[in-house]
Amino acid sequence: MSRPAWDWRLSDLSNVQKNGRMVFSCFSCGGGSTMGYKLAGYTVLGNVEIDPQMMRIYRQNHKPKYPFLLPIQDFKALPNQELPPELFDLDILDGSPPCSVFSMAGDREDKWGGEHAFREEQAVQRLDDLFFDFLDVAEKLRPKVAIAENVRGMMVGKARGFISLVLSRFRELGYKPQLFLLNSATMGVPQKRERLFFIASREDQNLPSLQLEFNEPPILYGDIRSGEGSPINPDSKTYTRWHKRRPPDLNMGDVTEREEGKMSNFNTILLKDQKVANTLASSSVFLRTDQPRHISDMDAIRMQTFPSDYDFMDANVQYVCGMSVPPLMMKKLAEQINLQWLSEK
């Protein structure tokens, strides 16, 4: 009996037929997008990553031909003659610029324009500028297609003006951009994860508009649930609140609002076997509804459709998964781009 698509291994990639398309990944983190492209038959030549720990993990799992451990601002400033010629003949330039300033959580608009370190060990950067740094790389390398992924929050409130600036910049560079809001739950991923994709083709190719429609059946948490997970600390407020949950509650915020009159803990999610899991964020807390336990690492791996033999080394499993594009989500997208745009007629 064949395994479901979400139950796969890195070793399976050796059986995937190559399509001859070349990709380079920016802001690669643990390589969620990289694995999606590889599952779709692409060759990923290398990556740019600022985080030393993520680069160690990326090297361990993906063996990139051309890894660049440096800020994207430094990468785009490298003289063209110092870069491999292959990077100037890309089919796809891929990137997921860090998106915390567009998150729906907290006082997000207060963060715009400020300088932040995305996490410890990283350089301080203006995170809302990173999208335009990525576009500068597109201007430098001139790939056939550029793909940038970001959070749904970019479509809300004042951030919509940022979208207009990004689209205008794509057009200035000679690209025809399209914008897609995709839900991973319709793409074979056991998780409701809405993400915004900017997909742009170079104008000189005269390609038609990309058509995307995904209707995979939902995969419930109970279908992928595995292992025990760590118990909730019995001395914690979370444990007390967990015992006060009611069937309609979706998260611990529903409990605290009802029982304590507080608006907090909405980032602590209650997972039900008969429901599709919520977005796996790097900072979220996921609790099982039917037992006082957190989800297991394998649950997180399967929710994000990472391979079961992925080597997380010294990193937190949920952090790496939550910071990545689900590989099966990118696989579905990459397949359509090859089918509709890159394949020879």
Side-chain angles (χ1 to χ4, degrees), residues 72-272:
I72 194 166
Q73 298 90 348
D74 293 349
F75 176 78
K76 74 180 187 182
L78 291 173
N80 288 358
Q81 61 269 26
E82 293 184 11
L83 292 174
E86 291 167 279
L87 299 190
F88 295 91
D89 190 27
L90 292 172
D91 292 285
I92 295 178
L93 176 68
D94 172 80
S96 297
C99 50
S100 61
V101 290
F102 299 111
S103 168
M104 296 303 294
D107 299 323
R108 66 185 193 140
E109 293 175 13
D110 291 343
K111 302 174 185 175
W112 295 356
E115 294 190 334
H116 310 275
F118 195 73
R119 72 185 294 230
E120 191 176 351
E121 292 188 68
Q122 288 191 11
V124 172
Q125 307 174 91
R126 280 174 54 111
L127 298 185
D128 38 339
D129 282 351
L130 293 177
F131 219 112
F132 295 99
D133 291 323
F134 171 77
L135 292 175
D136 289 344
V137 174
E139 181 180 24
K140 182 184 185 74
L141 301 181
R142 305 297 297 168
K144 294 184 180 71
V145 177
I147 301 176
E149 175 263 357
N150 220 292
V151 294
R152 180 181 178 274
M154 283 188 75
M155 303 179 70
V156 179
K158 295 179 181 178
R160 286 177 294 184
F162 188 90
I163 285 181
S164 297
L165 293 174
V166 170
L167 295 175
S168 295
R169 181 61 176 149
F170 264 122
R171 295 186 186 105
E172 288 174 3
L173 299 179
Y175 283 82
K176 185 173 71 174
Q178 291 180 251
L179 197 59
F180 297 92
L181 180 64
L182 302 177
N183 190 331
S184 66
T186 68
M187 302 170 75
V189 178
Q191 178 191 162
K192 294 180 289 186
R193 188 186 194 91
E194 284 190 309
R195 284 296 182 267
L196 197 61
F197 285 86
F198 294 80
I199 305 177
S201 62
R202 212 175 57 217
E203 284 184 348
D204 63 340
Q205 301 171 100
N206 296 313
L207 294 173
S209 294
L210 188 67
Q211 305 296 318
L212 295 179
E213 184 175 348
F214 302 101
N215 296 293
E216 295 290 322
I219 302 170
L220 308 182
Y221 172 59
D223 297 332
I224 58 104
R225 178 171 168 164
S226 176
E228 287 301 315
S230 61
I232 302 172
N233 182 349
D235 298 322
S236 67
K237 285 186 178 180
T238 298
Y239 186 83
T240 301
R241 290 165 176 163
W242 183 87
H243 279 280
K244 294 180 179 179
R245 73 201 184 286
R246 294 178 183 173
D249 294 334
L250 300 176
N251 51 61
M252 208 58 77
D254 293 337
V255 178
T256 56
E257 185 178 7
R258 180 183 65 245
E259 300 290 335
E260 304 170 29
K262 295 180 180 179
M263 299 290 287
S264 63
N265 291 102
F266 289 96
N267 209 32
T268 300
I269 311 299
L270 293 166
L271 285 187
K272 300 176 175 64

Side-chain angles (χ1 to χ4, degrees), residues 23-57:
V23 182
F24 187 75
S25 180
C26 302
F27 314 104
S28 58
C29 196
S33 291
T34 290
M35 291 182 283
Y37 287 113
K38 289 182 176 181
L39 285 168
Y42 293 70
T43 297
V44 181
L45 293 171
N47 67 313
V48 177
E49 174 56 50
I50 191 175
D51 188 313
Q53 183 189 43
M54 292 302 106
M55 181 57 97
R56 287 194 298 273
I57 295 170

